[in-house]
Amino acid sequence: MASTSPVPETYSATQDKITAPYGSWKSPLTADVVSGASKRLGGTAVDGHGRLIWLESRPTEAGRGVLVKEPAKAGDEPSDITPKEYAVRTTAQEYGGGAFRIFGDTVIFSNYKDQRLYKHSIDSKDSSPLPITPDYGEPLVSYADGIFDPRFNRYVTVREDRRQDALNSTTEIVAIGLNGQNIQEPKVLVSGSDFYAFPRMDPRGERMAWIEWHHPNMPWDKAELWVGYISENGDVYKRVCVAGFDPTIVESPTEPKWSSKGELFFVTDRKNRFWNLHKWIESNNEVLAIYSLDAEFSRPLWVFGINSYEIIQSHGEKNLIACSYRQNGRSYLGILDDFGHSLSLLDIPFTDIDNITLGNDCLFVEGASGVQPSSVAKVTLDDHKLKAVDFKVVWSSSPDTLKYKSYFSLPELIEFPTEVPGQKAYAYYYPPSNPIYQASPEEKPPLLVKSHGGPTSEARGILNLSIQYWTSRGWAFVDVNYGGSTGYGREFRERLLGRWGIVDVNDCCSCATFLVGSGKADEKRLCITGGSAGGYTTLAALAFRDTFKAGASLYGVADLSMLRAETHKFESRYIDNLVESEKDYYEKSPINFVDKFSCPIILFQGLEDKVVPPDQARKIYKALKENGLPVALVEYEGEQHGFRKAENIKFTLEQQMVFFARVVGHFDVADEIIPIKIDNFD
C-alpha cells in the first residue's frame, strides 16, 4: 500500500502535475467524506408561517429520519422538530416516502420503530408526539401519503396492513379521526384494489381523488385515476373513473391535485406516450391535455409523495402551474399557463429537479446539478409569477462539498449505439479528474460501469460524491440509462418488457465498448457495479457476456424465480412483464449458470432486506466459491434494501475499490484500506 500523506483540498493550476497510474491517485474525497457527507432528503413542506420543513436522513445517526425547521431569522441555525427517540420513516411498500404531512403548526408523521402515526406540534418545544393509530404489538401496519381533511377533522392516508400475510398485504385508503384522546381503528374509505396512492381532498372536502392499480401492472405500466364523492357522514358514496378505464388507451395517470377552485389536474401519458399535464372536465367526464411536449412531467412511483408541480395561482379561467419536466437527460423548471397553453422557463442553476413545494411568493425546489449536490433552493418569483428573481440554496445534502470542486469530474451526456440497428441509448460519462495527478499519455483509465436499479428508473447527471470518489482516484465512470430507463418516454421505457437481462445487459456492454472505441477506457480493465436490479444486470453481464473483467453486486438479484416467490407485494408481479416466459425465469437467472462466470465478483448484502432477501447473495457466493472463482461476500446487520449507515457506506466503497485494484487494476490504491479476504484468490 502507498503512504497516505495529506492531500490538499485545493491545488494551484500552475503547479506541475504528478504522473502516476490511473487508480493510484490520492484524493481528499475519502470514503469517510462520502459516507458522512450525504444526508438524504425525504420530502419538503411549508408550515402555517411559510417556513420550510424538510425531512433528512442522517447516515451518522444510522440513517435516522429527522424533520427540520427553517430558522425564523436569517443566519440562525435550523432546528430539529423530531425528538431524538423518534425517527420519521414509513416502510409502506418497502420503499416508503410520504412519511409526513404538515397542516398549520401540526405535523403527522410515521415513526420508524413501530410504524404508527403520531401527531406533533411544530412550534411547541416541550410537547411530545401523540400516537393517533392503534398499537398492534408489532410494526406490521404502515401508513403513507396522507392528507388532512378539515371538513371532518381527520387524516386520510394509504394504509398497508401486513398482519394477515407479510408477502400479500392489504392496501386501503383510510381515515383517522383527530378529535379526541381515544385512539380508534381507522375507517376504511376505499378498498378492493391491489394498490393505492395520492388520496387528495378537494378544497371543500366533498370529493377525493386517488390513484389505484392492479397486479400484474406497476403504476407506470397501467393505472387508474378515480374521484369519489364524500357523503355527510364522511363515506365515499359514489365514484367515477377519470382516466385509465378505456381499454383502448394504455396510460398511467399520476399526481392528482385540486386547484383552489376545485378543478382536478393530473399527469398522464395517454397520447404522446410522455407524462404530460392534463385537466378533468367533470361535467362530461372528459380529459383535456393542457400542454403537450415530448418530455416527462413526472417520474415512476417508486416512493409515495412525489410532487412534480404546484398550482401557484388561480384567477378566472386561468391557472398558473409551476412544473418540472425532464427532456434529453436534464430537468427544466417552468410556469405553465393552462388557459393560454404556454410554458415559460425559469432560469435556475439546477439541471436536475425532483419535487416542488409552494411557499409564500416562492417555490422550494429539490434539485441538483453536475457541481451541486442534492439541495433545496428557494426560488423567488416576480409579481407576474413568470420569472425567477432570486435563487438561494437553503439546504444541502453535502454542504461542505464545494471545497473539493477542483477535483470534480463533470458528467458528459453521451449517446451510444445499441445492438439494435438505428437505436440509441444514453449515459453520463465522468472522466478521471484530479488537479494534482495525471497519467502517462499511453495509459487508458480503468472504467467502472454502473447499472442503475429499478430497473424502471434513471441515472441522473448530478454531483454524487460516490462517483467522485472513483474519478478523483483516476477511474473513468459511466452511469448508463439502458433501454427500459425512465426520462425518455414510454416507448424507451418499454424496451425492457419481456427482455430484462437482455436489453439492459447489451446496453451496458455496448456503452463500455463504445467508450473503449472512443479511447476513453482500457479494454482490459472494464468493471461493472450495480445495486438491486442493477445488481442483477451486473451478475447477468458477468455470466452471459465477456465484456467485463470484474464486478460488484450490491443486494442484487441472482435468481428470478426466487425473487418472484419471496419479494414483497409491491414488486411481486413486477417481473411478470419484464420476463417473457417461465423458461426465461430459469435461463435469465445467473445463479443457474455459475459455470459461465469467468471473472472475480464481490457481493454486498443487508440482512434485513425484504426486497431481495439475503439468500440470493448467499446462493451466488456459495456457487461461485465452489466453482473456484475469486469471490467475496459482505453482509450487514441491520441494513435493508440499500445501505443507510455511514460505516457501511464507507466500507462498501472502500472494499469495491481495493477489490478491483487487486484483481484487475494493476495499481496500488493510495488509501490505507485493509482488504477483506477474497476466496479462491488469497
Side-chain angles (χ1 to χ4, degrees):
M1 298 291 172
S3 63
T4 55
S5 54
V7 185
E9 293 164 359
T10 58
Y11 194 79
S12 170
T14 60
Q15 292 176 263
D16 291 333
K17 287 192 172 186
I18 301 167
T19 300
Y22 285 117
S24 69
W25 302 348
K26 295 178 183 178
S27 169
L29 283 162
T30 64
D32 278 313
V33 169
V34 175
S35 62
S38 291
K39 295 174 287 188
R40 293 188 188 185
L41 189 66
T44 55
V46 171
D47 71 6
H49 305 287
R51 286 175 299 185
L52 178 68
I53 310 288
W54 64 87
L55 172 60
E56 64 182 36
S57 173
R58 299 170 176 171
T60 54
E61 297 182 36
R64 186 172 81 97
V66 181
L67 286 167
V68 185
K69 180 170 61 176
E70 179 186 22
K73 295 180 182 178
D76 288 351
E77 289 296 313
S79 56
D80 289 359
I81 297 170
T82 309
K84 291 189 179 298
E85 58 271 28
Y86 294 86
V88 181
R89 182 182 167 196
T90 176
T91 60
Q93 292 182 179
E94 292 301 322
Y95 297 108
F100 74 100
R101 181 71 66 178
I102 306 289
F103 186 71
D105 68 347
T106 299
V107 60
I108 289 180
F109 69 90
S110 176
N111 184 45
Y112 176 55
K113 186 176 181 180
D114 58 10
Q115 286 299 290
R116 298 174 74 187
L117 288 179
Y118 288 77
K119 181 181 176 183
H120 191 209
S121 171
I122 293 172
D123 294 324
S124 176
K125 293 182 179 180
D126 300 324
S127 69
S128 295
L130 298 174
I132 61 170
T133 53
D135 182 358
Y136 298 112
E138 293 182 81
L140 296 176
V141 178
S142 300
Y143 307 86
D145 208 9
I147 193 83
F148 284 87
D149 179 8
R151 180 185 173 193
F152 295 99
N153 191 24
R154 62 186 183 176
Y155 190 67
V156 177
T157 182
V158 176
R159 179 179 70 179
E160 183 183 52
D161 189 343
R162 301 178 293 277
R163 285 175 291 175
Q164 297 298 320
D165 188 340
L167 290 181
N168 190 27
S169 56
T170 301
T171 305
E172 299 162 318
I173 297 175
V174 300
I176 298 156
L178 301 175
N179 289 313
Q181 297 296 316
N182 294 327
I183 298 173
Q184 303 290 326
E185 187 69 24
K187 178 181 184 178
V188 176
L189 297 180
V190 183
S191 63
S193 184
D194 288 314
F195 304 98
Y196 295 96
F198 295 110
R200 298 295 182 260
M201 305 300 303
D202 78 1
R204 296 167 64 95
E206 296 174 347
R207 295 167 296 174
M208 179 177 71
W210 70 86
I211 298 293
E212 65 178 60
W213 67 100
H214 316 269
H215 280 320
N217 293 310
M218 298 299 284
W220 49 82
D221 294 324
K222 196 174 191 309
E224 298 168 4
L225 168 61
W226 288 79
V227 169
Y229 293 82
I230 310 298
S231 68
E232 290 298 321
N233 64 0
D235 292 322
V236 174
Y237 72 91
K238 184 179 79 170
R239 63 182 72 183
V240 59
C241 190
V242 173
F245 60 89
D246 188 339
T248 65
I249 300 174
V250 177
E251 62 178 324
S252 49
T254 184
E255 294 197 59
K257 188 167 294 188
W258 300 93
S259 73
S260 59
K261 297 181 295 183
E263 301 166 293
L264 180 62
F265 294 84
F266 63 99
V267 177
T268 193
D269 56 351
R270 58 168 43 193
K271 286 193 175 176
N272 66 351
R273 295 169 70 81
F274 283 84
W275 274 312
N276 283 189
L277 273 160
H278 290 70
K279 181 178 175 179
W280 179 47
I281 308 301
E282 183 178 13
S283 57
N284 56 357
N285 195 22
E286 183 184 1
V287 170
L288 297 180
I290 298 173
Y291 190 83
S292 294
L293 188 68
D294 286 352
E296 301 279 46
F297 283 75
S298 188
R299 56 193 191 278
L301 203 164
W302 280 105
V303 297
F304 290 104
I306 294 172
N307 201 54
S308 305
Y309 69 98
E310 286 275 22
I311 302 165
I312 60 174
Q313 199 174 73
S314 296
H315 287 311
E317 295 184 13
K318 183 169 80 170
N319 294 284
L320 291 181
I321 303 169
C323 55
S324 66
Y325 65 88
R326 284 189 71 74
Q327 188 176 50
N328 300 324
R330 67 158 289 167
S331 297
Y332 299 86
L333 180 66
I335 304 296
L336 183 60
D337 177 344
D338 74 324
F339 184 71
H341 303 285
S342 62
L343 181 66
S344 304
L345 292 181
L346 301 179
D347 185 16
I348 64 171
F350 287 158
T351 56
D352 190 280
I353 297 168
D354 281 333
N355 297 315
I356 301 171
T357 297
L358 181 62
N360 294 340
D361 298 317
C362 70
L363 299 169
F364 291 105
V365 180
E366 301 173 23
S369 72
V371 294
Q372 186 93 43
S374 176
S375 307
V376 179
K378 182 178 182 179
V379 179
T380 306
L381 303 175
D382 67 355
D383 292 340
H384 299 290
K385 313 294 184 190
L386 295 176
K387 289 184 179 179
V389 295
D390 190 39
F391 177 93
K392 180 184 178 183
V393 172
V394 294
W395 179 88
S396 173
S397 61
S398 308
D400 297 328
T401 53
L402 286 182
K403 66 184 180 184
Y404 304 110
K405 190 174 181 179
S406 61
Y407 288 83
F408 292 166
S409 175
L410 298 181
E412 302 170 13
L413 179 63
I414 62 170
E415 185 179 282
F416 60 90
T418 69
E419 291 199 357
V420 178
Q423 203 174 78
K424 305 284 187 182
Y426 310 93
Y428 294 99
Y429 171 74
Y430 299 79
S433 177
N434 189 304
I436 300 177
Y437 291 92
Q438 63 183 5
S440 65
E442 304 82 35
E443 188 186 6
K444 302 299 180 190
L447 173 70
L448 184 58
V449 174
K450 183 183 177 186
S451 171
H452 65 68
T456 312
S457 187
E458 181 184 3
R460 316 284 282 254
I462 64 175
L463 180 61
N464 181 339
L465 293 188
S466 293
I467 293 175
Q468 303 299 326
Y469 177 82
W470 294 90
T471 56
S472 64
R473 283 164 175 73
W475 280 75
F477 192 104
V478 66
D479 211 349
V480 183
N481 275 320
Y482 48 77
S485 302
T486 58
Y488 296 89
R490 181 180 280 267
E491 184 177 339
F492 190 85
R493 196 164 75 239
E494 291 185 344
R495 284 186 190 178
L496 210 57
L497 294 183
R499 295 178 61 77
W500 192 29
I502 300 175
V503 171
D504 49 323
V505 170
N506 287 345
D507 287 357
C508 285
C509 293
S510 295
C511 184
T513 304
F514 173 78
L515 290 171
V516 169
S518 304
K520 294 181 175 180
D522 182 352
E523 186 176 24
K524 295 179 180 179
R525 294 187 290 177
L526 300 178
C527 300
I528 184 169
T529 186
S532 189
Y536 167 70
T537 302
T538 293
L539 293 172
L542 297 174
F544 306 128
R545 304 288 187 277
D546 58 6
T547 303
F548 300 102
K549 310 307 177 188
S553 170
L554 286 67
Y555 40 93
V557 178
D559 187 331
L560 294 176
S561 295
M562 186 186 290
L563 177 70
R564 178 172 58 172
E566 295 184 355
T567 197
H568 61 133
K569 181 184 175 183
F570 177 58
E571 293 182 89
S572 63
R573 302 288 300 278
Y574 182 18
I575 56 176
D576 285 8
N577 292 326
L578 299 176
V579 180
E580 194 167 32
S581 66
E582 286 298 322
K583 181 183 175 185
D584 286 332
Y585 274 93
Y586 181 87
E587 294 189 346
K588 290 183 182 177
S589 294
I591 189 62
N592 299 322
F593 298 92
V594 290
D595 57 316
K596 293 193 174 184
F597 283 91
S598 59
C599 66
I601 300 172
I602 187 168
L603 306 146
F604 299 88
Q605 179 67 44
L607 293 180
E608 294 183 9
D609 193 337
K610 295 178 183 176
V611 179
V612 180
D615 280 350
Q616 295 257 344
R618 289 171 177 167
K619 199 173 174 185
I620 198 83
Y621 165 72
K622 183 173 182 286
L624 294 178
K625 182 180 176 181
E626 290 174 354
N627 219 37
L629 274 181
V631 63
L633 170 63
V634 178
E635 295 183 328
Y636 295 125
E637 294 277 358
E639 291 283 19
Q640 298 169 314
H641 198 64
F643 308 143
R644 292 172 177 265
K645 298 177 182 179
E647 62 269 25
N648 296 337
I649 297 169
K650 173 189 175 183
F651 194 79
T652 302
L653 257 183
E654 290 184 334
Q655 292 305 321
Q656 280 189 83
M657 172 70 72
V658 76
F659 180 85
F660 290 145
R662 295 180 70 203
V663 298
V664 300
H666 311 303
F667 56 80
D668 289 329
V669 296
D671 309 79
E672 284 186 350
I673 302 170
I674 300 173
I676 61 169
K677 181 179 182 291
I678 303 173
D679 292 296
N680 301 320
F681 184 82
D682 289 320

